[in-house]
Amino acid sequence: MIRLGAVFLPQWAPERLRPVAEAADQAGLDELWLWEDCFWESGIATASAALAWTSRLTVGVGLLPVPLRNVAITAMEVATLHRLFPGRVQVGIGHGVQDWMAQVGAKVDSPVTLLREYLDALKALLRGETVTTHGRYVHLDEVTLVWPPADASIFVGAVGPRTLRLSGSDADGTILTGGTTPTRTREARQLIGADDKPAVVYLHAAAGPDAGVRLEAERVRWGYESLDDVAVFGDAATVAAGVRRWADAGATTVVLQPTPDDPDPEGFMRFVARDVKPLL
């Protein structure tokens, strides 16, 4: 059965997180996803807070840009989250936006090589192994986590074919960015090649009388030719029908991505959980 989530956007101030997370939790939303976009909000700090403020909600971080983070630090943070909140954490890693990586002096010549080395080391650390590796980018000497988690899945954010194949072979799941059409979702599924692994898709969404106007502004901001196949808006039945298109294309979780100027983020969470979810 399709899982339904929503994004707490980094364009919303950090102090908005608590009421939005609590609204999502109380309404019965499956998953709340957070972003670590430069230079907005930390993914780990916000995830820890959201998990502490809620009781049942799964919290996802999609994604942590690996050029910014030493793999040992990421392993420590992910392990801590999983031990504090077992069964409620999903963390994704990825290349990061290359312009942002260049701004902080972290851009690498081969993002795919870095991601592969990083993913291998991260998963080994989370399994409790003692890791020594000297790759092109990742270097560890006999590093072992003192408090490894009992279980921790790592997702990879992927767009290009090489990263999608890497995600399918080595990661526990894949994150597909907003703007991924149903057709592109099917193509990504073929490249991932692992039908039993989850695929999370972000989907632009809006509700309310001005939903179309706000999404048109998003279309311009993201450079889409049209809203067809990249967004859903309208009443609950219309949004649910749209979500099913991505589910039929291979998404196991659809995460509705509101507009940054949504006038009622808490209301958006309740709409997704109470009105849309029962129709799926």
Side-chain angles (χ1 to χ4, degrees):
M1 182 177 179
I2 187 70
R3 288 179 62 83
L4 192 60
V7 180
F8 177 88
L9 293 171
Q11 289 90 343
W12 298 337
E15 54 267 28
R16 292 298 306 275
L17 176 58
R18 182 167 190 168
V20 172
E22 290 177 341
D25 193 47
Q26 293 163 9
L29 187 67
D30 293 328
E31 302 181 5
L32 181 69
W33 282 77
L34 310 167
W35 297 350
E36 188 166 85
D37 278 2
C38 299
F39 301 96
W40 297 85
E41 294 162 359
S42 158
I44 296 297
T46 51
S48 183
L51 287 160
W53 289 327
T54 58
S55 61
R56 47 154 301 280
L57 188 67
T58 294
V59 175
V61 182
L63 45 77
L64 301 176
V66 300
L68 281 178
R69 294 173 155 273
N70 184 282
V71 67
I73 292 293
T74 299
M76 291 162 60
E77 292 185 322
V78 171
T80 301
L81 282 180
H82 276 279
R83 290 189 71 108
L84 289 172
F85 308 100
R88 296 181 55 207
V89 182
Q90 300 279 15
V91 176
I93 62 174
H95 302 306
V97 176
Q98 295 305 296
D99 287 347
W100 292 341
M101 300 303 101
Q103 279 185 271
V104 298
K107 186 176 180 180
V108 299
D109 292 333
S110 179
V112 174
T113 300
L114 169 58
L115 186 60
R116 180 180 292 108
E117 293 179 0
Y118 197 104
L119 178 61
D120 289 346
L122 178 59
K123 288 179 66 65
L125 289 168
L126 292 172
R127 289 193 297 266
E129 298 175 12
T130 298
V131 181
T132 295
T133 182
H134 295 286
R136 183 173 176 183
Y137 299 109
V138 176
H139 300 273
L140 298 172
D141 282 306
E142 297 185 2
V143 177
T144 312
L145 291 183
V146 175
W147 298 107
D151 182 53
S153 59
I154 296 295
F155 285 56
V156 162
V159 176
R162 293 175 63 196
T163 310
L164 285 164
R165 292 190 185 98
L166 172 64
S167 179
S169 62
D170 293 1
D172 300 300
T174 304
I175 301 171
L176 303 176
T177 186
T180 302
T181 67
T183 297
R184 179 57 181 151
T185 301
R186 290 189 182 91
E187 294 170 351
R189 263 298 189 192
Q190 292 177 350
L191 289 166
I192 293 166
D195 293 338
D196 59 331
K197 290 187 177 181
V200 177
V201 180
Y202 293 126
L203 175 58
H204 295 282
D210 62 345
V213 174
R214 288 187 283 112
L215 276 175
E216 173 61 17
E218 285 291 271
R219 182 197 68 78
V220 173
R221 185 166 75 92
W222 289 94
Y224 303 136
E225 291 185 1
S226 76
L227 291 174
D228 296 339
D229 288 342
V230 299
V232 292
F233 64 97
D235 60 16
T238 302
V239 173
V243 168
R244 283 194 292 271
R245 293 184 61 211
W246 273 263
D248 291 343
T252 58
T253 297
V254 174
V255 182
L256 298 182
Q257 178 178 324
T259 62
D261 59 347
D262 190 296
D264 183 10
E266 294 88 347
F268 182 82
M269 301 296 157
R270 288 188 285 266
F271 167 75
V272 174
R274 293 176 178 171
D275 298 338
V276 178
K277 181 181 170 183
L279 300 179
L280 297 175

